[in-house]
Amino acid sequence: MYSLARVVSLASALALVVSGSSIAAQAAPYPQAEPPTPAELTLATRAMLQPGMVPAVLGGPGAQQIGYYIPTGGQDPYPVCQPPKDDKAVLPDLEMTIGYFSANGQDTDQSVNQQAIVYPSIDGAQASWAMLAEEIQEQCSFTGKGKNSGVAITNGGDPGANVLWTAYRGGPRNGWSEYTVIGLAGDAIVSLRFTDYEREATTSNQRAAVDALWAQLSGRFADRTTPTGVQSTTLSIAEAAMVNPADVSSDIPTGTPEQGSWASFTASLPGTAPIDPCEASLNFFPGGNGSFSSSFGDDGGPISENGLIYQRAFTYNDAAAADAAWDRISKQLPSCNQRSGRLFDKTTSASRQVARQSAVTVDGTAGWFIREIRTDGSDDKDFRFTTRSYQLLLKSGNVISWLTYARSEDGIRQFFIDEQPINELAVQLINRFTDTVVTTS
């Protein structure tokens, strides 16, 4: 459900990853919702599930992933239910929506996930809910036989109160269970899903805890312009400091919502180690106590004809820990000098990647850049593309920032990226991150 975790080599930086599943085709070019402003983002995430809210019966506080995706759910939105007998997943209407999410304990035996799908208006949310409620009551029901013996999907609740529930019982073969409460909350449809990977059925105490937590969270999100939640200070800083559309000048062409461009902000607390941009291996350098990403301009596929920009930032407990991570980067990046195939061939694919220490410095520390060009040839002239990317990594204090810009053009052709405005933006962004102070957490 929570897609857009990215890898950084050009061959993969432009292919979005959805819970481990890659995208093979470009998204349809229909308009998308406008990304939230930094202030709107913070109001939304403060209203979302926080680790300290999760009771012991639901696994207790755990690692947090929080943010938003446009389109909601990325390439693979998580369904409200999907009976084994039916290929059609039950999903709300997601057109022109922003999908906020907060996940607790994703790597444990018990996890809690909240999603808030925000519509352009209250009327739009109500219309979508009316259709979804009908689908839930009609389709979220299943009793397994044969190979699905023991599997059961049930639903219930009070349609008049605009809240329903669904439950999945895995049975003895599957051995896991899920309970979801979903309902209307102002201009949004809010769901809270509890997954227990140890039990084939959730307990009555677990379901009661989810019911109570959903009631609290849905009310808080419906009234999110009146802040009541408390979140990580580092998260609030990242939301204020990371790249957003207002930062990008015409010198850095990027896709727009009108062109169907996707957008996202994601945060992992503690941080997640990034993938090596050269060898596509895990744990390129330590993820620190928080890792954050902000992107916009892509269109969900391997080609970005309008231009995309993507920033990641990693925070550490102190400058010494950031220095150790930076030392690892400096030792590994020289291996990025590599090539494959013959560039500009019309029928085959090829790439060349170069990494060097940059002339751009922050606080006396020189950055590192990675340039890549990839030509994708084909026997069909309508399926030939050339893609370039430019990445700049910088360090300041306890923060490492990694800015990527990429753009594709039709055909096998030579073109270049103007790196100077990207360098200036990268310096602006890391300075803003280290200088930002929030007065409330």
Side-chain angles (χ1 to χ4, degrees):
M1 175 181 182
Y2 305 129
S3 62
L4 305 183
R6 296 182 186 255
V7 294
V8 182
S9 70
L10 183 58
S12 50
L14 303 182
L16 306 180
V17 176
V18 186
S19 300
S21 301
S22 61
I23 295 171
Q26 288 179 271
Y30 53 82
Q32 299 290 348
E34 290 282 344
T37 65
E40 291 169 338
L41 174 59
T42 297
L43 286 172
T45 57
R46 285 185 63 174
M48 298 286 286
L49 174 72
Q50 303 298 329
M53 302 174 69
V54 181
V57 71
L58 300 181
Q64 181 184 34
Q65 291 84 42
I66 191 167
Y68 78 87
Y69 291 123
I70 298 173
T72 294
Q75 181 72 13
D76 189 21
Y78 197 95
V80 179
C81 75
Q82 185 168 7
K85 62 181 173 63
D86 194 345
D87 291 334
K88 185 177 182 297
V90 174
L91 286 166
D93 176 18
L94 302 178
E95 185 176 355
M96 294 297 288
T97 62
I98 303 173
Y100 293 97
F101 68 90
S102 180
N104 178 86
Q106 289 295 91
D107 298 325
T108 64
D109 291 330
Q110 296 175 320
S111 66
V112 183
N113 294 268
Q114 182 193 3
Q115 184 180 58
I117 303 170
V118 176
Y119 290 82
S121 66
I122 291 177
D123 288 345
Q126 291 174 341
S128 179
W129 170 250
M131 293 186 293
L132 177 64
E134 184 176 339
E135 283 191 62
I136 289 173
Q137 295 171 88
E138 291 179 354
Q139 298 184 41
C140 292
S141 180
F142 177 79
T143 301
K145 298 178 181 179
K147 66 177 182 179
N148 289 316
S149 178
V151 175
I153 298 174
T154 53
N155 72 82
D158 183 0
N162 291 324
V163 57
L164 296 170
W165 59 262
T166 68
Y168 173 86
R169 178 185 179 121
R173 291 187 180 183
N174 295 304
W176 65 280
S177 55
E178 197 167 85
Y179 178 73
T180 301
V181 179
I182 186 168
L184 191 63
D187 63 348
I189 292 177
V190 173
S191 63
L192 189 67
R193 183 178 78 253
F194 170 68
T195 306
D196 193 325
Y197 294 100
E198 293 183 318
R199 292 188 176 94
E200 64 180 76
T202 54
T203 69
S204 59
N205 287 341
Q206 289 171 332
R207 295 192 294 273
V210 175
D211 292 342
L213 193 52
W214 179 89
Q216 178 185 1
L217 290 168
S218 61
R220 197 160 80 168
F221 196 85
D223 193 29
R224 61 190 178 278
T225 55
T226 304
T228 56
V230 176
Q231 68 179 19
S232 158
T233 299
T234 307
L235 172 59
S236 295
I237 290 172
E239 291 172 338
M242 297 286 284
V243 69
N244 67 78
D247 295 321
V248 183
S249 69
S250 59
D251 293 330
I252 308 175
T254 57
T256 65
E258 292 79 10
Q259 294 170 319
S261 292
W262 295 23
S264 71
F265 174 90
T266 64
S268 296
L269 300 161
T272 301
I275 295 176
D276 188 317
C278 312
E279 304 299 332
S281 59
L282 299 176
N283 301 322
F284 177 33
F285 59 87
N289 57 27
S291 59
F292 310 91
S293 71
S294 179
S295 73
F296 49 91
D298 64 80
D299 55 13
I303 305 299
S304 182
E305 293 189 87
N306 298 310
L308 73 84
I309 198 153
Y310 172 44
Q311 183 196 7
R312 278 166 294 177
F314 304 84
T315 60
Y316 299 85
N317 290 333
D318 50 39
D323 287 341
W326 189 253
D327 181 64
R328 188 163 166 178
I329 291 170
S330 300
K331 290 177 179 177
Q332 291 190 215
L333 273 186
S335 66
C336 277
N337 296 295
Q338 53 193 4
R339 66 173 62 203
S340 66
R342 183 163 64 94
L343 286 171
F344 302 106
D345 185 272
K346 292 183 178 181
T347 59
T348 63
S349 295
S351 65
R352 184 176 65 193
Q353 190 177 56
V354 175
R356 296 282 190 276
Q357 195 167 56
S358 174
V360 179
T361 63
V362 178
D363 296 336
T365 300
W368 281 87
F369 71 79
I370 306 170
R371 294 190 187 108
E372 186 171 1
I373 180 171
R374 180 177 181 87
T375 55
D376 289 291
S378 171
D379 291 333
D380 187 335
K381 65 179 182 180
D382 293 328
F383 288 89
R384 295 170 182 166
F385 299 93
T386 303
T387 307
R388 280 189 179 272
S389 74
Y390 175 70
Q391 306 173 48
L392 182 62
L393 291 87
L394 299 172
K395 178 199 166 292
S396 178
N398 70 326
V399 177
I400 292 173
S401 178
W402 185 348
L403 186 66
T404 298
Y405 177 75
R407 184 163 55 88
S408 305
E409 291 195 1
D410 291 334
I412 304 300
R413 65 182 66 198
Q414 185 67 276
F415 74 95
F416 297 95
I417 289 173
D418 185 357
E419 297 174 359
Q420 183 59 31
I422 300 167
N423 291 339
E424 293 172 357
L425 177 59
V427 172
Q428 172 192 333
L429 292 173
I430 193 167
N431 285 338
R432 188 166 71 190
F433 204 113
T434 56
D435 292 344
T436 295
V437 176
V438 294
T439 56
T440 58
S441 58

